[in-house]
Amino acid sequence: MGNFTEYLKTKSFRTNIIAAVCTFFGLLLIAFFSLRYYTKHGEGLNVPSLKGLKAEDAISKLEGLGLRYEIDSVYIQDQPPGIVTDQDPNPETFVKDNRTIYLTINTNQAPNVRFPDIEAKSLREAKSIIESYGLKLGDTTYKPDVAKDVVLEVLFGGQPIKTGESLPKGSRINLVLGDGRGNEDVELPNLTGLTIDEAKFSLKGAMLTIGIISYQGTITDTANAVIINQFPLATDSVTKVRIGTPINITLANKP
């Protein structure tokens, strides 16, 4: 023990200790400056704001700054095509040279979606489902039916559309809804002597529809042919029918 204590007091020990400490700190300095060099500490730039720029302008700006980029696309109907709608990292974020910037570009072609099943659903439900598929609610019209504000028909571009059919995202969908008055009775008009156009006008006002059209003899002028019979027929015992009832008619040449 005494010899070890005496050794600790020697110049050789102090020299070894100093050498070890210097070596340790020397290694720390080498590692620190090597890391600074490797990571280019302090060298970089702020990400420019690219949102709203045309895709080619944004790409040109990134290339001029020595930054890489990757592009994804999205469709937003209310924004012009070909512009940057989002970026990652955000503007003014400090990044190293050669960092990849991710751009989202608004495409000019709407992707297609499969039309969902909304028949027999309430207007509120149908609207929510339509919008969740990226579609828009267009016009709503009503027809006689006991179910109020329930979807009876679905139209796109004036034509019926069925569940599962493909159509562009952002399309406007028109709905035909029940008016809740299907159980009401209306006066049955007398159509005898009217042309088919006059009959349709009269029935529309009464919230009724044309049913089966029959013809007596050879019709030479359909537009001027007149109704000689109808069913149901307005009589003393039959004066009212349910809203939406189809009225069958028989046409003949005008005398």
Side-chain angles (χ1 to χ4, degrees):
M1 185 67 181
N3 290 336
F4 179 72
T5 303
E6 290 298 323
Y7 173 71
L8 295 178
K9 298 178 181 179
T10 62
K11 182 178 180 180
S12 174
F13 174 74
R14 291 195 297 273
T15 301
N16 289 337
I17 287 296
I18 293 171
V21 171
C22 290
T23 300
F24 175 75
F25 281 104
L27 292 173
L28 282 180
L29 289 173
I30 291 171
F32 176 74
F33 285 109
S34 296
L35 187 61
R36 278 175 63 95
Y37 177 78
Y38 178 76
T39 61
K40 298 182 180 180
H41 182 71
E43 296 182 21
L45 71 163
N46 290 326
V47 177
S49 178
L50 304 171
K51 293 180 182 179
L53 295 181
K54 291 183 178 179
E56 54 268 26
D57 294 338
I59 291 171
S60 177
K61 182 175 285 191
L62 291 177
E63 291 177 341
L65 294 172
L67 296 171
R68 295 180 295 171
Y69 61 89
E70 288 189 15
I71 293 177
D72 195 7
S73 62
V74 68
Y75 177 74
I76 304 175
Q77 187 179 28
D78 299 329
Q79 293 193 22
I83 67 166
V84 178
T85 61
D86 198 8
Q87 67 179 89
D88 183 31
N90 289 322
E92 302 305 317
T93 302
F94 186 79
V95 297
K96 301 294 184 182
D97 293 339
N98 208 33
R99 169 70 182 271
T100 299
I101 308 299
Y102 298 91
L103 304 177
T104 302
I105 308 297
N106 190 33
T107 181
N108 60 0
Q109 185 174 359
N112 286 340
V113 294
R114 296 285 183 181
F115 190 72
D117 182 10
I118 62 170
E119 287 196 26
K121 291 190 167 47
S122 70
L123 175 60
R124 179 178 296 182
E125 288 179 295
K127 184 175 185 292
S128 177
I129 294 171
I130 285 172
E131 292 178 347
S132 71
Y133 276 71
L135 303 169
K136 293 186 177 182
L137 177 63
D139 296 330
T140 54
T141 55
Y142 289 85
K143 65 184 294 186
D145 194 88
V146 293
K148 183 174 177 59
D149 287 331
V150 169
V151 177
L152 303 179
E153 297 178 45
V154 184
L155 305 173
F156 171 61
Q159 299 298 320
I161 183 169
K162 298 180 180 179
T163 301
E165 286 190 39
S166 182
L167 70 165
K169 192 173 183 180
S171 299
R172 290 187 176 276
I173 305 301
N174 299 327
L175 303 180
V176 178
L177 308 171
D179 61 6
R181 300 172 61 189
N183 285 329
E184 293 186 15
D185 291 337
V186 294
E187 294 289 338
L188 176 62
N190 184 357
L191 305 178
T192 304
L194 300 182
T195 66
I196 190 168
D197 288 337
E198 291 171 337
K200 287 179 179 179
F201 182 79
S202 177
L203 291 174
K204 183 176 181 181
M207 290 182 287
L208 302 172
T209 61
I210 289 283
I212 299 172
I213 302 175
S214 303
Y215 300 93
Q216 185 179 79
T218 302
I219 305 300
T220 56
D221 187 353
T222 305
N224 289 317
V226 294
I227 297 171
I228 60 171
N229 193 18
Q230 71 179 72
F231 181 83
L233 178 65
T235 64
D236 291 339
S237 60
V238 180
T239 60
K240 291 187 177 183
V241 292
R242 293 288 175 87
I243 287 177
T245 298
I247 309 299
N248 302 332
I249 61 174
T250 301
L251 289 172
N253 288 320
K254 189 173 183 179

